[in-house]
Amino acid sequence: MPIDGTPETDTANADARELIYVTRGGAGRVLALGGLQQMGWNLRRAPDARSVLRILQREPRRPHAALLDLREGFTQHDLAEFGTALSAGNVGWVAGIDARQLDEPPVRDLIRDYCYDYLTLPCPEAVLNTVIGHAHGMAGLACERGDTTSEAGFDGMIGESPAMRSLCRTLRKAALTEAPVFIAGETGTGKELAAMAVHRHSRRHAHPFVAINCGAIPHSLIQSELFGYERGAFTGAQQRKLGRIEMANGGTLFLDEIGDLPLESQASLLRFLQQGCIERLGGHEQIPVDVRIISATHHDLDAAVAEGRFRADLYHRLCVLRLQQPPLRERGGDIDRLAEYSLQRYSQEGHRTLKGFAPCARQALHSHTWPGNVRELINRVRQAVVMAEGRLITAADLHIESSLTAPPPTLDEVRDAATRAAIERSLHRNRGRLVDVARELGVSRVTLYRLMQRHGLRAHDPESPNTIHVA
C-alpha cells in the first residue's frame, strides 16, 4: 500500500470522492478498504500529520474525508502534531478506535473536538462508507461556504442587504468619476474599506492610496503630517519630509475623521483644494499635487458647520458625492454573513474545529445593537473562536448574554400587537364612534367590544349612555 499520498489505484477517478486513511498499524491491523474504492473513493494513505497536510494543500478547495485509525501507533505527542490538519476546513474527520479507547480522555477529547463521528474497528465496509460519506458531505458544505463568502459583496465588502446593495452601486458610480467623495457612517462600519474600493476601481488604481486619521494626530502635528516640512523648519527637523498629500500624488488621499480637523488646518486644506498646490512648512515653493480626496467621519458634519466647528466652504468642496455607510443593526442577514466570514477567517486560531453558531448565538447576533458595528462583530467572533468550549459558538462565548432575556415575539404576540394598534388608530380617526370603527375594520360591534376588552382598550361611544370600559 503506498504511503506517499498517491491514490491506491493506478488511475484515480477524477469524479471520485477523496479519502485519506491515516494509520501506523502493523501487519493485520491495517484496513484493506478495497471495497471502498469500488464504491467510488480515491484512497490515499498517510502515516503522519505532515503527509496529511501535503495531500490537503494540493487541492485546498476540494472536500476530503479522513479516517484516523487510533488503534495503535500514535502517542499523545503524535496526535498533538495533527492540530493543523484536524482544523482544516476542507476535510471531515472520522476516528477509528477499539471500544476500550473510549475510556481514554485524550481520545474522547479528540473525537469531541475534531471528528464528525467515530467507529469501532474493524467494521463492515458498508457502515464505513456511510459514516465517511457523511463526513465528506459536511466538508463539502464547508468548502461551498468558503467559496461563497470570498466572492460576496463588492471588492471585499460583504453584504447582500438592500442598504449594502445600494451602497455598492453608488461606490461603482463614484469610482468612475474624479469628484471628491464624502463617506458618512458610524464608527466601525467600514468607511476606509469603502474608500479603498473606490480607489481600486478608479483610473488612479495604479497610484498610491494614502490614508490619514485626522482625529488620531495631535493638532500641533497635523499641519506637518498633511503638508510636510523642509529641513530646519522647526527644532528637530533634521531633513525634508514629504506630507501625506504629496505622498498621494497621482492617487487618492483618504482623510478619515475629517470632522476632527482643526480650523487652522481646514483653511490650509481648502487653499490646496482651490489651487492644487501645497507649500511645505518652512518652504516657499508652490508644489503642484494631483490627488483625489475621499473623506469620512462619524460626526454629524452638518451640525458641525451650523455650530461653526467646520468651515462651510470646505464642507461643500469635500461633499460633492455623499455616501452613507449603513450601521450593522440595519443590515439584517448581513450579520449572519459577516459572522460566518469571521468564523472562517479566524477558525485556525482555535484549538478545535467549530461547526458554527448555536441558536442562542444567532439570536444574540440579531438582538445586539452593535455600537461598534462590523469591527465589533469581527472582534467578538474572533474572541469566541479562541475561548469556545464546545463545537458551537454560544451567546456566552460572544459575551452578549443579555440578549437572551428578550426572546423574539411569537406570531400570536405580533398579531395581538397589530390588532391593538389598528383598533387604536381607528378609534382616534373616528373619535371613539364604535359603529364607525366596526364598519371601518370590517367586524361587528360585538366582535369589536370583545377585542377591545381583550386588549385593554376603552372609548366613549356617543350613541351609548355609558363609556365602554375594560375590566
Side-chain angles (χ1 to χ4, degrees), residues 189-240:
T189 51
K191 297 186 289 294
E192 183 168 353
L193 189 63
M196 293 176 66
V198 171
H199 170 74
R200 283 195 290 262
H201 289 264
S202 73
R203 70 172 184 84
R204 298 175 178 266
H205 66 273
H207 298 280
F209 175 88
V210 178
I212 180 171
N213 188 325
C214 301
I217 300 175
H219 288 186
S220 59
L221 299 179
I222 188 69
Q223 198 81 350
S224 62
E225 283 292 325
L226 282 173
F227 299 97
Y229 54 80
E230 298 286 355
R231 178 181 179 183
F234 49 84
T235 303
Q238 302 295 329
Q239 58 185 2
R240 172 187 292 172

Side-chain angles (χ1 to χ4, degrees), residues 17 24 33 37 54 96 202 345 364 381 387 470:
R17 294 172 292 177
R24 284 183 180 174
L33 303 182
Q37 293 174 277
R54 278 201 298 267
S202 73
R345 179 178 178 183
V381 173
M387 304 304 295
V470 174

Side-chain angles (χ1 to χ4, degrees), residues 21 102 113 117-118 149 151 177 198 200 215 330 356 366 386 389 410 455:
Y21 178 37
L102 285 178
D113 294 337
D117 208 337
Y118 70 93
T149 302
E151 296 173 1
T177 75
V198 171
R200 283 195 290 262
E330 296 178 3
H366 284 274
V386 176
E389 296 291 340
T410 64
H455 295 290

Side-chain angles (χ1 to χ4, degrees), residues 271-289:
R271 189 179 309 113
F272 161 67
L273 293 176
Q274 291 171 337
Q275 301 176 357
C277 296
I278 64 166
E279 188 177 294
R280 303 189 192 105
L281 272 64
H284 303 286
E285 178 187 3
Q286 292 291 311
I287 305 168
V289 180

